[in-house]
């Protein structure tokens, strides 16, 4: 995209410390594994937290995504052998939300179900686990997806209060119960919301993103241009009806069914340029508009062995060819997981970045995406950190052409499935062969997945 400065591929000279450098040395792909196909997916609208879905539990949204998927699918409930769902901030009443949502959606009670969490790539992890179950012969048909409801976070009492509440049941007298209050301070009565900072470093992701953008010389203008593009692409895709076959209408706060993503805000670079920095003040480059917003939403997909799908006459959209997960230093490389995982994936499959036709890249922050693009194109960074030549130019014009997390929203546990669905649909729509899905995650982690269009779709 011409709006972005040419320095993106040159400015990676200010690199991460040598102490955090790591090598990409993936194991080769086993050619004898069963082929895994992506049948289809459905999702609820992705809505800004505190709006349409503020009265829903995560269980409610995930149940609706599953029901919507089954309603349009050729696959029957009896065909599904495993249900894998991701979530990050668990609702304590439904800790194994995969099982609860499965039963709530009316699927057979004999389906195995478990819940996974790997921050923003939780549903990617579920898909990868499902691929493993299929490739090793433990299942032929798996449901994978995820959910997040940021409108209803589990807010705790402080630990001193929790300890006393647990002891309260053993206190036999009023005097003993009152005695438990001894030693408490006013601060102990303050509620505790889930932490937003990295546990290992104590740093908020937005600060890390701002530092990363500065390290790679990503300008404020480039970030604003990327954010504006995301919203413009999402708006155009919505108007063209490109999400109609994946969004399941869900009842909102006023009783009206919502069938669209409500965080899309078409705007201009000039307007975004007036916003103040959100994290590093006053000179940071990341704003609220160039950061993904807190979102409520759920997604569900069906993947199968190709052999089983063919035997049942099931139409499938794509092949899930391979995946690679990577971890790096959360202190200096927190959001560089896509670079490490993409390098591993390409190496495993003897591919170059130029072989990829379509890219779906999770937009945690505009600066984070652009920093990864710069890292992949930097010979110095790749040689010192990946022990391999530069991956090459990641072309923005083939990336996220239907919008991304900055505009569509980012329910932590559900985004990965949206990316896979969008990549599969774009392969057909654009008549292409190979797609790359990649995303960063808290803890300095990342994922890359290789998807190939089905010749019959």
């Amino acid at each position: 995209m011409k709006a972005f400065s040419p320095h993106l591929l040159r400015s990676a000279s200010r690199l991460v410390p040598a102490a955090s450098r790591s090598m990409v040395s993936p194991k080769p792909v086993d050619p004898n594994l069963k082929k895994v196909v992506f049948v289809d997916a459905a999702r609820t609208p992705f809505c800004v937290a505190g709006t349409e879905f503020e009265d829903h539990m995560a269980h409610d949204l995930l149940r609706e995504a599953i029901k919507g998927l089954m309603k349009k699918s050729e696959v029957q409930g009896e065909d599904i052998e495993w249900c894998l769902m991701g979530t990050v901030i668990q609702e304590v009443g439904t800790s194994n939300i995969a099982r609860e949502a499965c039963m709530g959606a009316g699927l057979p009670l004999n389906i195995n179900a478990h819940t996974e969490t790997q921050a923003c790539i939780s549903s990617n992890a579920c898909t990868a686990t499902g691929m493993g179950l299929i490739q090793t012969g433990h299942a032929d048909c798996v449901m994978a997806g995820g959910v997040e409801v940021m409108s209803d976070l589990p807010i705790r009492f402080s630990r001193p209060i929790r300890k006393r509440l647990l002891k309260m049941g053993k206190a036999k007298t009023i005097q003993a119960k009152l005695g438990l209050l001894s030693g408490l301070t006013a601060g102990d009565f303050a509620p505790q919301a889930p932490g937003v900072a990295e546990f290992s470093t104590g740093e908020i992701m937005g600060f890390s993103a701002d530092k990363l953008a500065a390290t790679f010389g990503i300008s404020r203008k480039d970030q604003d241009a990327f954010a504006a593009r995301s919203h413009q692409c999402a708006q155009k895709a919505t108007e063209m009806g490109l999400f109609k076959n994946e969004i399941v209408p869900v009842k909102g706060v006023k009783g009206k069914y919502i069938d669209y993503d409500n965080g899309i805000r078409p705007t201009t670079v000039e307007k975004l340029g007036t916003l103040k920095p959100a994290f590093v003040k006053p000179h940071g480059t990341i704003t609220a508009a160039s950061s993904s917003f807190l979102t409520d939403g759920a997604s569900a997909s069906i993947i199968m062995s190709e052999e089983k799908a063919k035997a049942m006459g099931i139409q499938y959209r794509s092949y899930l060819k391979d995946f690679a997960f990577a971890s790096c230093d959360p202190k200096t490389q927190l959001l560089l997981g896509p670079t490490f995982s993409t390098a591993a994936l390409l190496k495993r499959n003897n591919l170059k970045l130029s072989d990829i036709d379509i890219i779906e890249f999770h937009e945690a922050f505009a600066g984070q995406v652009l920093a990864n693009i710069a890292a992949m194109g930097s010979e110095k960074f790749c040689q010192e950190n990946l022990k391999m030549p530069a991956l090459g130019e990641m072309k923005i014009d083939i990336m996220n052409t239907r919008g991304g997390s900055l505009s569509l929203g980012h329910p932590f546990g559900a985004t990965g499935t949206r990316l896979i669905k969008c990549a599969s649909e774009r392969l057909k729509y654009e008549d292409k062969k190979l797609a790359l899905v990649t995303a960063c995650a808290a803890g300095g982690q990342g994922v890359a997945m290789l998807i190939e269009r089905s010749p019959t779709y």
Side-chain angles (χ1 to χ4, degrees):
M1 186 173 178
K2 294 181 180 179
F4 296 95
S5 301
H7 67 251
L8 286 181
L9 301 183
R10 304 196 305 265
S11 59
S13 58
R14 293 173 290 171
L15 301 174
V16 295
S20 64
R21 294 172 186 163
S22 59
M23 181 185 294
V24 172
S25 53
K27 296 180 180 179
V29 176
D30 184 348
N32 299 313
L33 291 175
K34 286 186 177 182
K35 292 183 178 180
V36 181
V37 297
F38 174 79
V39 176
D40 202 0
R43 65 179 178 90
T44 69
F46 286 0
C47 290
V48 178
T51 61
E52 294 293 348
F53 298 152
E54 65 176 353
D55 294 331
H56 285 292
M57 292 177 64
H59 167 273
D60 300 330
L61 293 188
L62 187 53
R63 179 193 66 222
E64 293 306 308
I66 293 173
K67 287 169 63 177
L69 175 60
M70 296 308 299
K71 185 176 180 180
K72 69 172 182 172
S73 177
E74 301 172 276
V75 176
Q76 302 300 307
E78 293 74 20
D79 301 321
I80 298 171
E81 299 160 279
W82 218 293
C83 179
L84 309 163
M85 293 294 166
T87 195
V88 179
I89 303 177
Q90 291 186 335
E91 159 62 51
V92 294
T94 55
S95 56
N96 186 5
I97 198 165
R99 176 63 172 166
E100 299 299 339
C102 242
M103 293 191 293
L107 294 183
L109 299 180
N110 64 348
I111 295 176
N112 298 301
H114 73 258
T115 301
E116 299 188 20
T117 185
Q118 197 175 0
C120 301
I121 55 177
S122 293
S123 56
N124 300 90
C126 290
T127 301
T129 299
M131 291 172 65
L133 289 169
I134 292 170
Q135 290 169 335
T136 55
H138 286 85
D140 277 310
C141 185
V142 173
M143 180 175 286
V147 64
E148 214 70 48
V149 171
M150 299 302 291
S151 292
D152 185 26
L153 301 178
I155 298 175
R156 307 190 301 178
F157 289 109
S158 69
R159 187 156 194 171
I161 295 291
R162 298 199 308 271
K163 287 171 64 177
R164 285 162 173 79
L165 287 174
L166 290 172
K167 293 177 181 178
M168 191 72 72
K170 297 180 180 180
K172 303 301 182 183
T173 65
I174 296 295
Q175 185 177 3
K177 293 180 187 295
L178 291 174
L180 292 174
L181 299 177
S182 176
L184 289 175
T185 67
D188 293 330
F189 290 92
Q192 295 180 341
V196 295
E198 289 288 313
F199 185 82
S200 61
T201 66
E203 188 169 68
I204 294 173
M205 188 175 284
F207 282 90
S208 298
D210 223 323
K211 290 197 306 182
L212 186 67
T215 297
F216 285 93
I218 309 301
S219 71
R220 165 69 185 269
K221 186 176 181 180
D222 281 344
Q223 294 178 61
D224 289 345
F226 188 90
R229 174 185 181 269
S230 181
H231 283 272
Q232 291 160 6
C233 288
Q235 180 67 18
K236 182 178 179 180
T238 300
E239 291 173 350
M240 292 175 64
L242 299 180
F243 299 131
K244 282 187 176 180
N245 77 336
E246 67 184 70
I247 292 182
V248 178
V250 177
K251 190 178 290 187
V253 287
K254 296 182 179 179
K256 178 183 177 182
Y257 278 88
I258 307 302
D259 61 359
Y260 60 92
D261 306 307
N262 75 350
I264 302 171
R265 303 284 189 273
T267 186
T268 64
V269 177
E270 290 71 27
K271 287 184 179 179
L272 296 185
T274 65
L275 299 178
K276 295 181 179 179
F279 300 101
V280 178
K281 302 175 182 180
H283 302 300
T285 58
I286 291 180
T287 67
S290 60
S291 312
S292 55
F293 51 87
L294 298 180
T295 314
D296 301 333
S299 61
S301 69
I302 293 174
I303 65 175
M304 301 179 72
S305 66
E306 182 186 34
E307 181 182 21
K308 183 70 170 180
K310 283 184 173 180
M312 294 178 61
I314 301 295
Q315 171 71 67
Y316 49 91
R317 284 159 168 73
S318 61
Y319 292 96
L320 300 179
K321 297 285 288 184
D322 197 19
F323 60 82
F325 287 82
S327 295
C328 43
D329 186 347
K331 187 173 183 180
T332 58
Q333 301 173 324
L334 179 68
L335 301 170
L336 285 177
T339 296
F340 286 85
S341 56
T342 297
L345 182 72
L346 295 176
K347 188 173 183 179
R348 269 174 59 88
N349 291 274
N350 297 312
L351 292 172
K352 299 178 181 178
L353 202 52
S354 57
D355 295 321
I356 301 299
D357 302 307
I358 281 171
I359 299 170
E360 284 296 316
F361 201 131
H362 164 49
E363 302 168 351
F365 303 88
Q368 155 258 332
V369 176
L370 297 175
N372 275 276
I373 292 173
M376 291 183 202
S378 166
E379 191 68 32
K380 181 176 175 62
F381 179 90
C382 290
Q383 288 288 359
E384 294 188 358
N385 291 269
L386 308 178
K387 307 304 179 187
M388 61 191 297
L391 303 187
E393 181 185 1
M394 179 173 271
K395 297 179 180 178
I396 292 178
D397 61 355
I398 65 170
M399 179 191 297
N400 301 358
T401 58
R402 300 184 180 186
S405 298
L406 291 176
S407 50
L408 299 174
H410 173 40
F412 303 148
T415 289
T417 300
R418 178 190 68 76
L419 296 172
I420 295 169
K421 166 70 170 174
C422 190
S424 298
E425 296 296 346
R426 282 184 60 199
L427 284 172
K428 178 184 179 180
Y429 186 82
E430 300 173 30
D431 193 21
K432 300 296 183 181
K433 182 182 178 181
L434 287 179
L436 169 70
V437 164
T438 189
C440 63
Q445 300 185 101
V447 66
M449 308 187 90
L450 183 64
I451 300 173
E452 182 179 318
R453 180 184 175 184
S454 166
T456 62
Y457 181 64

